[in-house]
Amino acid sequence: MLTITSLWIPFTVVAALGQVARNAMQRSLTKPLGTWGATNIRFLFGFPFSLLFLGVVLVATGDHLGMPPTVFWPWLLLGALSQIVATGLMLLAMNDRSFVVTTAYLKTEAIQTAIFGFVFLGDHLTWLKVLAIVIATVGVVITALRPGGEKSFAELKPTITGLVAAAAFALSAVGFRGAIINVPGVSFVTAASFTLVLGLFVQTLILTIYLLWRAPKVLQAILGLWKPSLLAGFMGAFASQFWFLAFALTAAANVRTLALIEVLFAQAVAYYSFKQPIAPREIFGIVLIVAGVALLVGA
């Protein structure tokens, strides 16, 4: 039977599924809008839905929001800005190196999140949970690699770029959790929803100003594709809502490790929808992911 504190588990699963759907929608918009145009969709069109989510939460809970304390804002900016930087570095790494190898670098995020969460927030992680994080991360790296792909790890620039991108994603998760737990006097649902609204506002503002400065025609194209963008924005806000709810209840490292099940979803789609066979190496990686996640949840 689920308790309030264990709700982070279904919240994370729902968020991972929503993220897979959002990524698929954004991918279809990358060609007409460019990378940063498609990225801005999750913020620009997600922001109104985050306001709607917050409104529903406030009505349901009866919470009253006040001005958050000063300590809230640095955490929020860390989360919002780190996520933008991480996205840019990820794209840069993918240009320098294959998608598969870059993915392996990025999945070190869970380990780095555990380190940053412990250092900056004092998040307590038992040795069993640390072991679970390492096992699941190794499983993802093994699953992501292809024959001969390990040679790419010797190249310094994409390696550093990919690892720094993962670090930025880790800082983003820690920053948003730090902001959420510093919203006083309200339920965890309201704190998460309120932080999401402000985070998306900051990200929308920064990326929109950037596009106005560097690529104003992209903004026009975004408005012209408002129908598919609206759906992608909704899925982005939906997934983020559940990420933030999970961050409100447990250490960011727990959330980001359980989120590695996204790899299992992708493998299942590849196998059942596209009839792509699963190699023994991938099976071994999947076993490690499942074992790590099971140890994490049971610890």
Side-chain angles (χ1 to χ4, degrees), residues 3-12 53-54 57-58 61 63 65 72 176-177 179-196 240-250:
T3 62
I4 292 295
T5 54
S6 63
L7 282 175
W8 70 272
I9 298 172
F11 287 162
T12 301
F53 297 159
L54 177 60
V57 167
L58 290 176
T61 62
D63 285 338
L65 285 166
F72 169 87
F176 283 134
R177 171 163 163 78
I180 291 168
I181 63 178
N182 278 291
V183 179
V186 295
S187 66
F188 79 90
V189 180
T190 300
S193 303
F194 179 61
T195 304
L196 175 60
S240 295
Q241 177 74 22
F242 280 91
W243 286 130
F244 280 42
L245 288 172
F247 288 149
L249 292 175
T250 191

mmCIF file of all heavy atoms in Angstrom, residues 3-12 53-54 57-58 61 63 65 72 176-177 179-196 240-250:
data_model
loop_
_atom_site.group_PDB
_atom_site.id
_atom_site.type_symbol
_atom_site.label_atom_id
_atom_site.label_comp_id
_atom_site.label_asym_id
_atom_site.label_seq_id
_atom_site.Cartn_x
_atom_site.Cartn_y
_atom_site.Cartn_z
ATOM 1 N N THR A 3 2.180 4.970 0.607
ATOM 2 C CA THR A 3 2.047 6.067 1.551
ATOM 3 C C THR A 3 2.375 7.359 0.820
ATOM 4 O O THR A 3 2.819 7.347 -0.331
ATOM 5 C CB THR A 3 3.022 5.880 2.727
ATOM 6 O OG1 THR A 3 4.365 5.909 2.223
ATOM 7 C CG2 THR A 3 2.770 4.562 3.434
ATOM 8 N N ILE A 4 2.171 8.493 1.488
ATOM 9 C CA ILE A 4 2.470 9.781 0.860
ATOM 10 C C ILE A 4 3.939 9.836 0.435
ATOM 11 O O ILE A 4 4.264 10.257 -0.677
ATOM 12 C CB ILE A 4 2.156 10.940 1.829
ATOM 13 C CG1 ILE A 4 0.644 11.040 2.075
ATOM 14 C CG2 ILE A 4 2.668 12.264 1.254
ATOM 15 C CD1 ILE A 4 -0.164 11.407 0.860
ATOM 16 N N THR A 5 4.826 9.401 1.320
ATOM 17 C CA THR A 5 6.255 9.504 1.029
ATOM 18 C C THR A 5 6.701 8.583 -0.110
ATOM 19 O O THR A 5 7.725 8.833 -0.745
ATOM 20 C CB THR A 5 7.085 9.177 2.283
ATOM 21 O OG1 THR A 5 6.682 7.896 2.794
ATOM 22 C CG2 THR A 5 6.877 10.238 3.355
ATOM 23 N N SER A 6 5.934 7.515 -0.374
ATOM 24 C CA SER A 6 6.308 6.605 -1.455
ATOM 25 C C SER A 6 5.620 6.944 -2.776
ATOM 26 O O SER A 6 5.847 6.263 -3.789
ATOM 27 C CB SER A 6 5.987 5.153 -1.072
ATOM 28 O OG SER A 6 4.592 4.980 -0.876
ATOM 29 N N LEU A 7 4.820 8.004 -2.791
ATOM 30 C CA LEU A 7 4.151 8.410 -4.026
ATOM 31 C C LEU A 7 5.148 8.870 -5.098
ATOM 32 O O LEU A 7 4.788 8.964 -6.277
ATOM 33 C CB LEU A 7 3.152 9.540 -3.745
ATOM 34 C CG LEU A 7 1.828 9.129 -3.116
ATOM 35 C CD1 LEU A 7 0.993 10.361 -2.785
ATOM 36 C CD2 LEU A 7 1.048 8.215 -4.053
ATOM 37 N N TRP A 8 6.388 9.171 -4.687
ATOM 38 C CA TRP A 8 7.377 9.593 -5.681
ATOM 39 C C TRP A 8 7.608 8.506 -6.726
ATOM 40 O O TRP A 8 8.003 8.821 -7.868
ATOM 41 C CB TRP A 8 8.700 9.955 -5.003
ATOM 42 C CG TRP A 8 9.465 8.813 -4.423
ATOM 43 C CD1 TRP A 8 9.344 8.289 -3.169
ATOM 44 C CD2 TRP A 8 10.477 8.038 -5.088
ATOM 45 N NE1 TRP A 8 10.223 7.247 -3.000
ATOM 46 C CE2 TRP A 8 10.933 7.073 -4.158
ATOM 47 C CE3 TRP A 8 11.046 8.074 -6.364
ATOM 48 C CZ2 TRP A 8 11.913 6.148 -4.477
ATOM 49 C CZ3 TRP A 8 12.027 7.152 -6.684
ATOM 50 C CH2 TRP A 8 12.456 6.203 -5.745
ATOM 51 N N ILE A 9 7.337 7.263 -6.381
ATOM 52 C CA ILE A 9 7.574 6.160 -7.316
ATOM 53 C C ILE A 9 6.604 6.223 -8.502
ATOM 54 O O ILE A 9 7.044 6.303 -9.659
ATOM 55 C CB ILE A 9 7.499 4.808 -6.592
ATOM 56 C CG1 ILE A 9 8.597 4.725 -5.530
ATOM 57 C CG2 ILE A 9 7.616 3.656 -7.585
ATOM 58 C CD1 ILE A 9 8.498 3.517 -4.621
ATOM 59 N N PRO A 10 5.263 6.206 -8.277
ATOM 60 C CA PRO A 10 4.369 6.351 -9.443
ATOM 61 C C PRO A 10 4.490 7.711 -10.115
ATOM 62 O O PRO A 10 4.337 7.804 -11.338
ATOM 63 C CB PRO A 10 2.972 6.145 -8.838
ATOM 64 C CG PRO A 10 3.112 6.398 -7.384
ATOM 65 C CD PRO A 10 4.491 5.959 -7.040
ATOM 66 N N PHE A 11 4.780 8.764 -9.351
ATOM 67 C CA PHE A 11 4.966 10.082 -9.954
ATOM 68 C C PHE A 11 6.106 10.041 -10.981
ATOM 69 O O PHE A 11 5.990 10.590 -12.083
ATOM 70 C CB PHE A 11 5.286 11.127 -8.884
ATOM 71 C CG PHE A 11 4.121 11.527 -8.023
ATOM 72 C CD1 PHE A 11 4.327 12.172 -6.805
ATOM 73 C CD2 PHE A 11 2.823 11.268 -8.415
ATOM 74 C CE1 PHE A 11 3.260 12.555 -6.005
ATOM 75 C CE2 PHE A 11 1.741 11.634 -7.615
ATOM 76 C CZ PHE A 11 1.958 12.276 -6.407
ATOM 77 N N THR A 12 7.206 9.393 -10.617
ATOM 78 C CA THR A 12 8.358 9.324 -11.506
ATOM 79 C C THR A 12 8.064 8.485 -12.743
ATOM 80 O O THR A 12 8.470 8.836 -13.858
ATOM 81 C CB THR A 12 9.576 8.740 -10.761
ATOM 82 O OG1 THR A 12 9.871 9.562 -9.628
ATOM 83 C CG2 THR A 12 10.797 8.669 -11.665
ATOM 84 N N PHE A 53 -2.541 24.040 -14.027
ATOM 85 C CA PHE A 53 -2.312 23.018 -13.005
ATOM 86 C C PHE A 53 -2.270 23.660 -11.611
ATOM 87 O O PHE A 53 -2.875 23.146 -10.661
ATOM 88 C CB PHE A 53 -0.998 22.286 -13.257
ATOM 89 C CG PHE A 53 -0.948 21.513 -14.542
ATOM 90 C CD1 PHE A 53 0.278 21.171 -15.118
ATOM 91 C CD2 PHE A 53 -2.106 21.114 -15.198
ATOM 92 C CE1 PHE A 53 0.338 20.457 -16.307
ATOM 93 C CE2 PHE A 53 -2.059 20.408 -16.389
ATOM 94 C CZ PHE A 53 -0.834 20.085 -16.945
ATOM 95 N N LEU A 54 -1.567 24.784 -11.495
ATOM 96 C CA LEU A 54 -1.462 25.462 -10.203
ATOM 97 C C LEU A 54 -2.823 25.949 -9.730
ATOM 98 O O LEU A 54 -3.152 25.829 -8.533
ATOM 99 C CB LEU A 54 -0.485 26.644 -10.303
ATOM 100 C CG LEU A 54 -0.328 27.488 -9.036
ATOM 101 C CD1 LEU A 54 0.180 26.645 -7.872
ATOM 102 C CD2 LEU A 54 0.607 28.672 -9.287
ATOM 103 N N VAL A 57 -4.748 23.040 -8.369
ATOM 104 C CA VAL A 57 -4.183 22.619 -7.086
ATOM 105 C C VAL A 57 -4.595 23.561 -5.964
ATOM 106 O O VAL A 57 -4.966 23.124 -4.858
ATOM 107 C CB VAL A 57 -2.642 22.543 -7.188
ATOM 108 C CG1 VAL A 57 -2.011 22.418 -5.806
ATOM 109 C CG2 VAL A 57 -2.223 21.364 -8.055
ATOM 110 N N LEU A 58 -4.559 24.870 -6.218
ATOM 111 C CA LEU A 58 -4.926 25.843 -5.191
ATOM 112 C C LEU A 58 -6.397 25.711 -4.803
ATOM 113 O O LEU A 58 -6.748 25.815 -3.621
ATOM 114 C CB LEU A 58 -4.634 27.269 -5.681
ATOM 115 C CG LEU A 58 -3.151 27.647 -5.796
ATOM 116 C CD1 LEU A 58 -3.004 29.044 -6.381
ATOM 117 C CD2 LEU A 58 -2.449 27.559 -4.443
ATOM 118 N N THR A 61 -6.685 22.313 -2.762
ATOM 119 C CA THR A 61 -6.029 22.266 -1.452
ATOM 120 C C THR A 61 -6.446 23.399 -0.526
ATOM 121 O O THR A 61 -6.326 23.281 0.694
ATOM 122 C CB THR A 61 -4.501 22.308 -1.614
ATOM 123 O OG1 THR A 61 -4.133 23.551 -2.234
ATOM 124 C CG2 THR A 61 -4.012 21.138 -2.457
ATOM 125 N N ASP A 63 -4.784 26.056 -0.337
ATOM 126 C CA ASP A 63 -3.542 26.711 0.074
ATOM 127 C C ASP A 63 -3.523 28.171 -0.376
ATOM 128 O O ASP A 63 -4.128 28.535 -1.391
ATOM 129 C CB ASP A 63 -2.326 25.990 -0.523
ATOM 130 C CG ASP A 63 -2.016 24.687 0.179
ATOM 131 O OD1 ASP A 63 -2.430 24.530 1.345
ATOM 132 O OD2 ASP A 63 -1.348 23.823 -0.427
ATOM 133 N N LEU A 65 -0.750 31.155 -1.316
ATOM 134 C CA LEU A 65 0.658 31.398 -1.608
ATOM 135 C C LEU A 65 1.060 32.819 -1.242
ATOM 136 O O LEU A 65 0.318 33.770 -1.489
ATOM 137 C CB LEU A 65 0.931 31.176 -3.101
ATOM 138 C CG LEU A 65 0.986 29.718 -3.566
ATOM 139 C CD1 LEU A 65 0.928 29.642 -5.083
ATOM 140 C CD2 LEU A 65 2.255 29.045 -3.050
ATOM 141 N N PHE A 72 14.728 30.790 -1.776
ATOM 142 C CA PHE A 72 14.048 30.077 -2.865
ATOM 143 C C PHE A 72 14.617 30.443 -4.225
ATOM 144 O O PHE A 72 14.786 29.577 -5.100
ATOM 145 C CB PHE A 72 12.547 30.405 -2.809
ATOM 146 C CG PHE A 72 11.756 29.962 -4.019
ATOM 147 C CD1 PHE A 72 11.227 28.682 -4.086
ATOM 148 C CD2 PHE A 72 11.515 30.834 -5.086
ATOM 149 C CE1 PHE A 72 10.487 28.285 -5.189
ATOM 150 C CE2 PHE A 72 10.776 30.442 -6.185
ATOM 151 C CZ PHE A 72 10.264 29.157 -6.233
ATOM 152 N N PHE A 176 15.897 22.536 -8.654
ATOM 153 C CA PHE A 176 14.435 22.553 -8.555
ATOM 154 C C PHE A 176 13.967 21.931 -7.239
ATOM 155 O O PHE A 176 13.017 22.420 -6.629
ATOM 156 C CB PHE A 176 13.815 21.822 -9.754
ATOM 157 C CG PHE A 176 13.813 22.635 -11.018
ATOM 158 C CD1 PHE A 176 14.222 22.083 -12.218
ATOM 159 C CD2 PHE A 176 13.395 23.958 -11.017
ATOM 160 C CE1 PHE A 176 14.223 22.830 -13.389
ATOM 161 C CE2 PHE A 176 13.392 24.720 -12.183
ATOM 162 C CZ PHE A 176 13.806 24.148 -13.379
ATOM 163 N N ARG A 177 14.620 20.858 -6.807
ATOM 164 C CA ARG A 177 14.244 20.278 -5.508
ATOM 165 C C ARG A 177 14.520 21.275 -4.385
ATOM 166 O O ARG A 177 13.709 21.428 -3.461
ATOM 167 C CB ARG A 177 15.006 18.973 -5.248
ATOM 168 C CG ARG A 177 14.818 18.443 -3.819
ATOM 169 C CD ARG A 177 15.193 16.996 -3.659
ATOM 170 N NE ARG A 177 15.378 16.629 -2.264
ATOM 171 C CZ ARG A 177 14.382 16.392 -1.401
ATOM 172 N NH1 ARG A 177 13.120 16.504 -1.801
ATOM 173 N NH2 ARG A 177 14.641 16.062 -0.151
ATOM 174 N N ALA A 179 14.445 24.473 -4.557
ATOM 175 C CA ALA A 179 13.406 25.507 -4.589
ATOM 176 C C ALA A 179 12.104 24.993 -3.985
ATOM 177 O O ALA A 179 11.461 25.675 -3.171
ATOM 178 C CB ALA A 179 13.184 25.973 -6.029
ATOM 179 N N ILE A 180 11.710 23.787 -4.370
ATOM 180 C CA ILE A 180 10.435 23.225 -3.909
ATOM 181 C C ILE A 180 10.384 23.111 -2.390
ATOM 182 O O ILE A 180 9.392 23.493 -1.757
ATOM 183 C CB ILE A 180 10.200 21.844 -4.556
ATOM 184 C CG1 ILE A 180 9.943 22.001 -6.061
ATOM 185 C CG2 ILE A 180 9.000 21.132 -3.898
ATOM 186 C CD1 ILE A 180 9.999 20.689 -6.829
ATOM 187 N N ILE A 181 11.444 22.599 -1.782
ATOM 188 C CA ILE A 181 11.418 22.379 -0.340
ATOM 189 C C ILE A 181 11.568 23.679 0.446
ATOM 190 O O ILE A 181 11.476 23.670 1.676
ATOM 191 C CB ILE A 181 12.512 21.368 0.095
ATOM 192 C CG1 ILE A 181 13.909 21.901 -0.211
ATOM 193 C CG2 ILE A 181 12.270 20.016 -0.568
ATOM 194 C CD1 ILE A 181 15.036 20.982 0.237
ATOM 195 N N ASN A 182 11.780 24.794 -0.266
ATOM 196 C CA ASN A 182 11.866 26.087 0.400
ATOM 197 C C ASN A 182 10.644 26.959 0.156
ATOM 198 O O ASN A 182 10.689 28.175 0.360
ATOM 199 C CB ASN A 182 13.136 26.830 -0.045
ATOM 200 C CG ASN A 182 14.365 26.363 0.712
ATOM 201 O OD1 ASN A 182 14.512 26.605 1.911
ATOM 202 N ND2 ASN A 182 15.254 25.658 0.017
ATOM 203 N N VAL A 183 9.541 26.343 -0.284
ATOM 204 C CA VAL A 183 8.256 27.042 -0.361
ATOM 205 C C VAL A 183 7.511 26.743 0.943
ATOM 206 O O VAL A 183 7.074 25.619 1.161
ATOM 207 C CB VAL A 183 7.421 26.579 -1.569
ATOM 208 C CG1 VAL A 183 6.085 27.321 -1.607
ATOM 209 C CG2 VAL A 183 8.187 26.811 -2.871
ATOM 210 N N PRO A 184 7.356 27.720 1.827
ATOM 211 C CA PRO A 184 6.818 27.434 3.166
ATOM 212 C C PRO A 184 5.292 27.496 3.230
ATOM 213 O O PRO A 184 4.625 28.157 2.428
ATOM 214 C CB PRO A 184 7.422 28.571 4.009
ATOM 215 C CG PRO A 184 7.499 29.728 3.052
ATOM 216 C CD PRO A 184 7.803 29.135 1.701
ATOM 217 N N GLY A 185 4.750 26.772 4.196
ATOM 218 C CA GLY A 185 3.358 26.927 4.581
ATOM 219 C C GLY A 185 2.326 26.354 3.643
ATOM 220 O O GLY A 185 1.140 26.665 3.764
ATOM 221 N N VAL A 186 2.735 25.507 2.683
ATOM 222 C CA VAL A 186 1.766 24.918 1.749
ATOM 223 C C VAL A 186 2.055 23.429 1.608
ATOM 224 O O VAL A 186 3.103 22.931 2.038
ATOM 225 C CB VAL A 186 1.826 25.597 0.365
ATOM 226 C CG1 VAL A 186 1.398 27.056 0.440
ATOM 227 C CG2 VAL A 186 3.225 25.487 -0.245
ATOM 228 N N SER A 187 1.142 22.713 0.974
ATOM 229 C CA SER A 187 1.337 21.286 0.732
ATOM 230 C C SER A 187 2.442 21.069 -0.292
ATOM 231 O O SER A 187 2.816 21.979 -1.042
ATOM 232 C CB SER A 187 0.033 20.665 0.215
ATOM 233 O OG SER A 187 -0.287 21.193 -1.071
ATOM 234 N N PHE A 188 2.966 19.839 -0.329
ATOM 235 C CA PHE A 188 4.034 19.535 -1.294
ATOM 236 C C PHE A 188 3.534 19.676 -2.727
ATOM 237 O O PHE A 188 4.295 20.030 -3.634
ATOM 238 C CB PHE A 188 4.595 18.133 -1.037
ATOM 239 C CG PHE A 188 3.759 16.993 -1.570
ATOM 240 C CD1 PHE A 188 3.965 16.497 -2.850
ATOM 241 C CD2 PHE A 188 2.769 16.412 -0.781
ATOM 242 C CE1 PHE A 188 3.203 15.443 -3.342
ATOM 243 C CE2 PHE A 188 2.003 15.358 -1.258
ATOM 244 C CZ PHE A 188 2.215 14.870 -2.540
ATOM 245 N N VAL A 189 2.240 19.416 -2.953
ATOM 246 C CA VAL A 189 1.680 19.539 -4.307
ATOM 247 C C VAL A 189 1.690 20.999 -4.751
ATOM 248 O O VAL A 189 2.076 21.318 -5.885
ATOM 249 C CB VAL A 189 0.245 18.974 -4.352
ATOM 250 C CG1 VAL A 189 -0.336 19.111 -5.757
ATOM 251 C CG2 VAL A 189 0.224 17.524 -3.906
ATOM 252 N N THR A 190 1.302 21.893 -3.865
ATOM 253 C CA THR A 190 1.300 23.319 -4.186
ATOM 254 C C THR A 190 2.719 23.838 -4.375
ATOM 255 O O THR A 190 2.998 24.611 -5.302
ATOM 256 C CB THR A 190 0.602 24.115 -3.073
ATOM 257 O OG1 THR A 190 -0.754 23.660 -2.948
ATOM 258 C CG2 THR A 190 0.598 25.608 -3.378
ATOM 259 N N ALA A 191 3.634 23.409 -3.513
ATOM 260 C CA ALA A 191 5.032 23.842 -3.625
ATOM 261 C C ALA A 191 5.622 23.419 -4.961
ATOM 262 O O ALA A 191 6.320 24.200 -5.628
ATOM 263 C CB ALA A 191 5.847 23.269 -2.475
ATOM 264 N N ALA A 192 5.342 22.187 -5.375
ATOM 265 C CA ALA A 192 5.859 21.688 -6.654
ATOM 266 C C ALA A 192 5.244 22.446 -7.818
ATOM 267 O O ALA A 192 5.947 22.844 -8.762
ATOM 268 C CB ALA A 192 5.565 20.195 -6.773
ATOM 269 N N SER A 193 3.942 22.664 -7.779
ATOM 270 C CA SER A 193 3.240 23.344 -8.877
ATOM 271 C C SER A 193 3.674 24.802 -8.994
ATOM 272 O O SER A 193 3.880 25.317 -10.102
ATOM 273 C CB SER A 193 1.723 23.273 -8.653
ATOM 274 O OG SER A 193 1.293 21.932 -8.526
ATOM 275 N N PHE A 194 3.842 25.471 -7.864
ATOM 276 C CA PHE A 194 4.267 26.866 -7.841
ATOM 277 C C PHE A 194 5.685 27.007 -8.409
ATOM 278 O O PHE A 194 5.975 27.908 -9.213
ATOM 279 C CB PHE A 194 4.217 27.384 -6.409
ATOM 280 C CG PHE A 194 4.658 28.812 -6.236
ATOM 281 C CD1 PHE A 194 3.991 29.849 -6.868
ATOM 282 C CD2 PHE A 194 5.741 29.123 -5.427
ATOM 283 C CE1 PHE A 194 4.390 31.172 -6.703
ATOM 284 C CE2 PHE A 194 6.145 30.429 -5.244
ATOM 285 C CZ PHE A 194 5.469 31.454 -5.893
ATOM 286 N N THR A 195 6.573 26.102 -8.020
ATOM 287 C CA THR A 195 7.951 26.133 -8.517
ATOM 288 C C THR A 195 7.994 25.879 -10.018
ATOM 289 O O THR A 195 8.768 26.507 -10.750
ATOM 290 C CB THR A 195 8.809 25.089 -7.783
ATOM 291 O OG1 THR A 195 8.739 25.328 -6.373
ATOM 292 C CG2 THR A 195 10.257 25.158 -8.227
ATOM 293 N N LEU A 196 7.147 24.982 -10.496
ATOM 294 C CA LEU A 196 7.089 24.704 -11.928
ATOM 295 C C LEU A 196 6.675 25.947 -12.709
ATOM 296 O O LEU A 196 7.274 26.267 -13.744
ATOM 297 C CB LEU A 196 6.115 23.560 -12.206
ATOM 298 C CG LEU A 196 5.857 23.243 -13.686
ATOM 299 C CD1 LEU A 196 7.155 22.840 -14.388
ATOM 300 C CD2 LEU A 196 4.809 22.137 -13.827
ATOM 301 N N SER A 240 6.662 17.522 -16.501
ATOM 302 C CA SER A 240 7.368 18.325 -15.494
ATOM 303 C C SER A 240 6.602 18.390 -14.181
ATOM 304 O O SER A 240 7.196 18.395 -13.101
ATOM 305 C CB SER A 240 7.604 19.743 -16.030
ATOM 306 O OG SER A 240 8.473 19.730 -17.142
ATOM 307 N N GLN A 241 5.271 18.449 -14.267
ATOM 308 C CA GLN A 241 4.454 18.486 -13.055
ATOM 309 C C GLN A 241 4.735 17.265 -12.188
ATOM 310 O O GLN A 241 4.917 17.375 -10.963
ATOM 311 C CB GLN A 241 2.973 18.528 -13.435
ATOM 312 C CG GLN A 241 1.997 18.503 -12.259
ATOM 313 C CD GLN A 241 1.946 19.826 -11.509
ATOM 314 O OE1 GLN A 241 2.289 20.868 -12.051
ATOM 315 N NE2 GLN A 241 1.509 19.786 -10.266
ATOM 316 N N PHE A 242 4.839 16.107 -12.810
ATOM 317 C CA PHE A 242 5.079 14.887 -12.042
ATOM 318 C C PHE A 242 6.537 14.763 -11.610
ATOM 319 O O PHE A 242 6.816 14.216 -10.539
ATOM 320 C CB PHE A 242 4.627 13.669 -12.843
ATOM 321 C CG PHE A 242 3.140 13.461 -12.783
ATOM 322 C CD1 PHE A 242 2.304 14.031 -13.738
ATOM 323 C CD2 PHE A 242 2.559 12.732 -11.759
ATOM 324 C CE1 PHE A 242 0.934 13.872 -13.679
ATOM 325 C CE2 PHE A 242 1.190 12.557 -11.681
ATOM 326 C CZ PHE A 242 0.368 13.132 -12.643
ATOM 327 N N TRP A 243 7.484 15.291 -12.428
ATOM 328 C CA TRP A 243 8.870 15.330 -11.957
ATOM 329 C C TRP A 243 8.962 16.146 -10.675
ATOM 330 O O TRP A 243 9.602 15.737 -9.703
ATOM 331 C CB TRP A 243 9.790 15.986 -12.996
ATOM 332 C CG TRP A 243 10.124 15.190 -14.221
ATOM 333 C CD1 TRP A 243 10.024 15.614 -15.522
ATOM 334 C CD2 TRP A 243 10.628 13.848 -14.296
ATOM 335 N NE1 TRP A 243 10.428 14.624 -16.380
ATOM 336 C CE2 TRP A 243 10.808 13.534 -15.657
ATOM 337 C CE3 TRP A 243 10.947 12.893 -13.338
ATOM 338 C CZ2 TRP A 243 11.294 12.301 -16.084
ATOM 339 C CZ3 TRP A 243 11.419 11.665 -13.756
ATOM 340 C CH2 TRP A 243 11.587 11.369 -15.107
ATOM 341 N N PHE A 244 8.321 17.313 -10.679
ATOM 342 C CA PHE A 244 8.422 18.210 -9.528
ATOM 343 C C PHE A 244 7.712 17.630 -8.309
ATOM 344 O O PHE A 244 8.166 17.812 -7.176
ATOM 345 C CB PHE A 244 7.843 19.584 -9.891
ATOM 346 C CG PHE A 244 8.796 20.460 -10.672
ATOM 347 C CD1 PHE A 244 9.561 19.938 -11.690
ATOM 348 C CD2 PHE A 244 8.910 21.804 -10.387
ATOM 349 C CE1 PHE A 244 10.444 20.723 -12.419
ATOM 350 C CE2 PHE A 244 9.783 22.612 -11.097
ATOM 351 C CZ PHE A 244 10.556 22.074 -12.112
ATOM 352 N N LEU A 245 6.597 16.934 -8.513
ATOM 353 C CA LEU A 245 5.924 16.274 -7.394
ATOM 354 C C LEU A 245 6.843 15.230 -6.771
ATOM 355 O O LEU A 245 6.904 15.089 -5.538
ATOM 356 C CB LEU A 245 4.629 15.612 -7.877
ATOM 357 C CG LEU A 245 3.470 16.548 -8.223
ATOM 358 C CD1 LEU A 245 2.330 15.761 -8.866
ATOM 359 C CD2 LEU A 245 2.968 17.285 -6.988
ATOM 360 N N ALA A 246 7.569 14.496 -7.620
ATOM 361 C CA ALA A 246 8.507 13.493 -7.105
ATOM 362 C C ALA A 246 9.659 14.162 -6.360
ATOM 363 O O ALA A 246 10.066 13.708 -5.286
ATOM 364 C CB ALA A 246 9.036 12.634 -8.256
ATOM 365 N N PHE A 247 10.194 15.268 -6.918
ATOM 366 C CA PHE A 247 11.279 15.998 -6.251
ATOM 367 C C PHE A 247 10.857 16.509 -4.879
ATOM 368 O O PHE A 247 11.685 16.645 -3.978
ATOM 369 C CB PHE A 247 11.726 17.189 -7.097
ATOM 370 C CG PHE A 247 12.500 16.826 -8.337
ATOM 371 C CD1 PHE A 247 12.418 17.611 -9.474
ATOM 372 C CD2 PHE A 247 13.315 15.706 -8.366
ATOM 373 C CE1 PHE A 247 13.136 17.291 -10.621
ATOM 374 C CE2 PHE A 247 14.030 15.371 -9.511
ATOM 375 C CZ PHE A 247 13.942 16.178 -10.642
ATOM 376 N N ALA A 248 9.568 16.807 -4.733
ATOM 377 C CA ALA A 248 9.072 17.342 -3.460
ATOM 378 C C ALA A 248 9.096 16.290 -2.358
ATOM 379 O O ALA A 248 9.095 16.628 -1.172
ATOM 380 C CB ALA A 248 7.651 17.878 -3.633
ATOM 381 N N LEU A 249 9.133 15.012 -2.741
ATOM 382 C CA LEU A 249 8.965 13.936 -1.762
ATOM 383 C C LEU A 249 10.225 13.156 -1.447
ATOM 384 O O LEU A 249 10.294 12.479 -0.416
ATOM 385 C CB LEU A 249 7.885 12.955 -2.261
ATOM 386 C CG LEU A 249 6.461 13.502 -2.312
ATOM 387 C CD1 LEU A 249 5.533 12.465 -2.937
ATOM 388 C CD2 LEU A 249 5.978 13.883 -0.920
ATOM 389 N N THR A 250 11.224 13.217 -2.325
ATOM 390 C CA THR A 250 12.417 12.410 -2.092
ATOM 391 C C THR A 250 13.629 13.061 -2.742
ATOM 392 O O THR A 250 13.493 14.013 -3.516
ATOM 393 C CB THR A 250 12.237 10.976 -2.636
ATOM 394 O OG1 THR A 250 13.303 10.148 -2.169
ATOM 395 C CG2 THR A 250 12.223 10.966 -4.152
#
